[in-house]
Amino acid sequence: MTSKREYRIHASGPDLAQMIVLETGDFSIGRQAGCSLTLQSAEVSREHALISVSETGWQISDLGSRNRTKLDGVWLTPRVAHALANGSLIQIGPYSLRCEEVTTPSAGEIPAAPDLPPAPEPSTRLPAPQPSGPPELTPPAEPPQAVPPVAFDDGELPSLPSALSFTGQRLLGYLPGIYHTEFMAGFLAIFEATLAPIEWTVDNFDLFLDPRTAPRTFLPWLSRWYAFALVSMWSEAQCRALLKEAHQIFARCGTRWALRRMLEIYTGRTPEITDQGEGLEPFTFVVKLPVRPREVNEAMVAALIDDLKPAYTSYRVIYEV
């Protein structure tokens, strides 16, 4: 009977706690959709790392990611396969991937019983006499020595972000082996520390264009695409919600749906818009807002309606409690 070896990954991190069983083949890890394991973090590249599983074992390769990959606390050389073992720890940005190898019996296989020590043979001899006198006392174990605290002087170097190191590795891989020295690794670390933020910005610029991940200070720049100036009285959540749906709202400018959705984002309540009924003059509509006037900025409400209503219409706003 043969046993089957199963490879598992225990992934943990922000909003992630998952156990994954790997099949034979390639298992991709990255930020973009389509990866076998998608990790939503700015510290994860679109295609960050690749785990390959075969009949003889498994291994991981860093795909030249900007923030790199750690295996058991050591930075991986880009595009070089490194073997994985039971208990190996992979670190990608804020995520940890614990490797586990499990041997399971094949179908129909009965696990072998563990070997038991042989039973002692019966003996008719009496135990040897013990010497007279008080029993010998075992001296107590020495108490563990306390580890003295590490003293830090004023000249200690500050800690670096997780993506950087005082010893360069990525640029060193482009040089012949004769240059792989400690001095050269430290020298190239200066350039890696300088280029890493620039390369990260270029590689992850898509995050700036997504209202869900763009920095707060970048939101006014995005709003200029729609000729809409975000004002300080709007909260960050309101700005992000508007920019997420702006392409639909402004494409349907002049419709009841666009006006209702804009007011709903600003006020947090769903308004009622009526353009037909007794007492309504032609080309006139009524906006009923289920909020108190002091809960919103009336001038802002009027400005939003003026921007999205048909140019030839007039309106009245009724605030309800």
Side-chain angles (χ1 to χ4, degrees):
M1 296 292 181
T2 59
S3 299
K4 178 183 178 182
R5 184 174 295 275
E6 188 175 88
Y7 300 96
R8 301 176 181 176
I9 289 291
H10 298 268
S12 60
D15 301 325
L16 178 65
Q18 184 180 3
M19 192 275 286
I20 308 167
V21 178
L22 305 186
E23 302 292 341
T24 302
D26 293 335
F27 183 84
S28 57
I29 304 173
R31 193 182 71 249
Q32 70 178 3
C35 290
S36 305
L37 176 59
T38 304
L39 303 177
Q40 296 294 343
S41 172
E43 298 183 40
V44 181
S45 298
R46 294 188 183 95
E47 295 180 350
H48 199 106
L50 181 71
I51 297 178
S52 300
V53 180
S54 64
E55 297 180 356
T56 58
W58 53 341
Q59 55 188 6
I60 184 172
S61 303
D62 183 273
L63 300 179
S65 62
R66 299 302 180 189
N67 292 338
R68 304 172 61 190
T69 304
K70 270 187 177 181
L71 176 60
D72 295 329
V74 179
W75 294 110
L76 296 183
T77 303
R79 306 191 185 281
V80 175
H82 298 265
L84 296 173
N86 187 29
S88 295
L89 178 62
I90 304 169
Q91 292 175 276
I92 298 178
Y95 297 93
S96 297
L97 309 179
R98 176 71 66 178
C99 302
E100 182 185 15
E101 297 182 10
V102 180
T103 303
T104 57
S106 302
E109 180 181 355
I110 301 177
D115 295 334
L116 299 177
E121 297 180 358
S123 176
T124 57
R125 290 186 294 178
L126 298 177
Q130 298 294 330
S132 60
E136 183 179 356
L137 300 178
T138 303
E142 295 183 2
Q145 298 294 327
V147 179
V150 180
F152 296 96
D153 54 23
D154 295 336
E156 181 189 76
L157 293 174
S159 60
L160 289 176
S162 59
L164 302 180
S165 172
F166 289 113
T167 303
Q169 295 292 337
R170 185 166 60 88
L171 296 181
L172 194 65
Y174 294 99
L175 298 179
I178 191 175
Y179 294 105
H180 290 196
T181 63
E182 183 178 355
F183 168 79
M184 186 60 70
F187 178 74
L188 292 178
I190 302 174
F191 299 95
E192 290 188 15
T194 304
L195 294 175
I198 302 174
E199 293 175 342
W200 182 93
T201 302
V202 174
D203 186 57
N204 300 279
F205 190 70
D206 58 301
L207 299 176
F208 288 79
L209 305 181
D210 191 333
R212 298 170 298 178
T213 56
R216 178 184 176 89
T217 55
F218 208 72
L219 298 179
W221 189 87
L222 291 177
S223 69
R224 297 180 61 182
W225 288 4
Y226 305 99
F228 180 80
L230 297 177
V231 293
S232 58
M233 64 185 65
W234 282 60
S235 67
E236 181 178 353
Q238 290 174 322
C239 294
R240 294 186 186 277
L242 172 60
L243 289 175
K244 185 179 178 181
E245 302 183 38
H247 65 289
Q248 297 178 337
I249 294 176
F250 289 102
R252 301 169 67 175
C253 184
T255 66
R256 182 185 306 179
W257 179 89
L259 178 57
R260 181 171 60 244
R261 184 60 187 137
M262 177 69 82
L263 293 175
E264 186 176 22
I265 293 175
Y266 174 64
T267 65
R269 309 287 179 82
T270 302
E272 179 183 348
I273 302 176
T274 306
D275 58 359
Q276 295 180 358
E278 297 181 1
L280 280 180
E281 299 180 358
F283 310 112
T284 302
F285 62 92
V286 177
V287 178
K288 296 182 180 179
L289 289 173
V291 295
R292 297 182 178 88
R294 64 174 180 270
E295 294 178 356
V296 296
N297 187 308
E298 296 185 56
M300 174 60 67
V301 172
L304 295 177
I305 298 176
D306 289 335
D307 286 344
L308 293 173
K309 74 177 185 66
Y312 55 86
T313 60
S314 58
Y315 63 91
R316 289 187 293 115
V317 180
I318 300 177
Y319 293 91
E320 296 181 346
V321 179

